[in-house]
Amino acid sequence: MNAIAITNLTKRYGAQLAVDDLSLAVDAGSVCGLLGPNGAGKSTTFKCLLALDQPTSGTVAVDGAPVAPSTFEYLAYVPETSALLEKYSVGDHLEATRRTYASFDAARAAELAATFKLDSKKRIGKLSKGQRTAVALVLAFAIRPRVLVLDEPASGLDPIFQRAVLDLIIDAAAGGACVLFSSHQIGQVERAADSIAVLKGGKLVLRGEIDDLKGDEKIVEAIFPSDAPSPNGLASDPRVRRIERAGRILRLHVRSDAAGVAHELASFEPRTVDVLDLGLEDIFLGAVSDDAAYSSAKDRA
Amino acid sequence: MYYFDILRAGRALKTYTIVLGSILLVMLVTTPFSRVSHSNESVTINGQSVSGALRGFVLIHQMGQTIHIPFSVLCAIAAFAGILFATGCATSLSRFNKNLHFTFTKPVSRERSTLTTIGTDALTIVAAFAIGLVFALAPIAIVGLLDRLTFDLQSLAVLVLGLGIAYMWYGIVQAATSAMRGGSGIVLGLSWAVFVVMQGLQHLSGDFVPPVIVWIIHTFNTINPFIVMNQMFETIGVADSAVFGPPYVQQLAVAYLTALVGVAIAVTLRKRMAV
């Protein structure tokens, strides 16, 4: 059974279509990174998933049942912007959470608070953005949830704490939790997630396991002294899946024989030619970019 | 949110106590000297002449021996202070609306969460009435006039109706602001202004304005806390046999029903809120 199952979710705000017929399932014990440019519908998807807003159509289920107050016994949510009560202290929030959840693990809360160097006496209003995020994360992980929904969970944190958050996510999934999280930091998603879902204009444009999406594809990147030329001949080459041109840079997404393609590209007299492994950033940009500078070649996949 | 409601209530009562304590302190410092300046009478205790504040307290004590202090007057003072306190609590839901991502993702239904906040406020308002009564009694106790208090049926009537007025005003403001994410303080301030103005218009004659306007004003004023407060103050002077007469019962019913309707609207709005 999918821990999270979103089926044909559509959300409209008046004439604006925020989420368009989205179907997405995430299994227990896995981490799914929800990616998309600003305004792609990620936060709206989270709101509908958490019953903070009503879908226009479609259904949402957690552990096979519609979201109800009891769902939050085992589902923890960290919003993108702090929703903590500014006039109250970190300790007050911990105490309120302890009183609300039977599963609250005080020792783990203390350990996490120490990890993020949080002072329990400090009022939320006196904390930085990153520290507030850290408090929300401590509260979320201290109840040992089975489902975690995290909207930009490392937002505002320094690199050391970002790494700690990713470790928490990976550790939770290893313990059987289902994690759905969004981030603009592709590197974070690449490190923590097993799979990704990419939204663009409210639509799901890409979904899959990261390893599967990367496949054997390579990138041949050439940098020219002046604007990159149009690589005539290679555009119709079956080895080349996609061509991107941005100023002096020419990138070819190559299915096979990357070395051979690089050799042929050398005939255009670039300054450098490199064969690179395909990164998640390339996959993401390929999925969401409709900028002419980035996709002068049509995706023939 | 129950824990935060308790913390919030504690803080509100602490502030309320400090404000009332400050007023009492100012009163205790100024009143004896005011009394002293109005009297040339010398005062002796155990054969020794006393002056200053102590003389003032003794003069007040002596004056108090000739009068009776109806407990209902103290109840009215406590009720008035409690009503002011209740209006301060009346935007509690709106003030939590910045935190709905936190509040509404807890294993507690929206209705229960909202009713918990309102229930805590309701009990806090009762506590504010009790604190107000203590502070109303304090100066009388300090000048040794507790034995001059007369307990009457009107006291109960004043407290019950006063609490109803507090809840009524609270309910009206909660209904208007429970779904607001900001600006609830302005609505609260406006409620004061509107109720005061409408009370002033209560005696507007149909000779000067269209009868429909008069009708609207009178209809609105049935739920005007200041109008109901007049009934509360009038209750003090009513004979025992007429305390719980039809006008009182009618105002009592209006106050508590308005409060209940306001709370029901607030709960419904919160239930339907999109975050």
Side-chain angles (χ1 to χ4, degrees), chain A residues 71 100 138 172 189 201 283 299:
Chain A
T71 307
T100 308
V138 170
V189 177
I283 296 169
D299 192 331

Side-chain angles (χ1 to χ4, degrees), chain A residues 98-115:
Chain A
R98 185 188 70 76
R99 287 168 183 242
T100 308
Y101 293 91
S103 60
F104 182 81
D105 184 338
R108 180 157 172 80
E111 177 196 328
L112 292 171
T115 301

